[in-house]
Amino acid sequence: MPDSPPAATLDYVRASARFLNLPLDDDRLARVAVHLERTRHMVAALEALPLDVDVEPAEVFKPAPFPPGSDS
């Protein structure tokens, strides 16, 4: 992966920083964008794995019972 992120990623990080009122200079902006691209590539590799639903089943939500003597 190249050390210079795509312009679209730089634009995204710049807009996000502006929205969150985070002061990022150009060097830090580029570093954040590089890490975001690395993360994007890791996610793409994980999503490409052919996993069946039964490999890691989702938990079924079970709300906790109300404590004895509560009004609900």
Side-chain angles (χ1 to χ4, degrees), residues 9 15 25 28 35 37 41 44 60 67:
T9 306
D25 59 20
R28 184 168 286 182
H35 287 291
E37 276 296 305
H41 285 281
V60 176

Side-chain angles (χ1 to χ4, degrees), residues 3-47:
D3 286 334
S4 59
T9 306
L10 282 169
D11 292 342
Y12 176 80
V13 172
R14 188 176 290 114
S16 297
R18 194 176 315 123
F19 177 76
L20 296 170
N21 199 24
L22 296 174
L24 295 181
D25 59 20
D26 288 340
D27 290 338
R28 184 168 286 182
L29 182 86
R31 289 194 306 268
V32 170
V34 165
H35 287 291
L36 183 61
E37 276 296 305
R38 287 181 183 151
T39 303
R40 189 178 68 80
H41 285 281
M42 288 189 287
V43 168
L46 287 173
E47 286 181 333

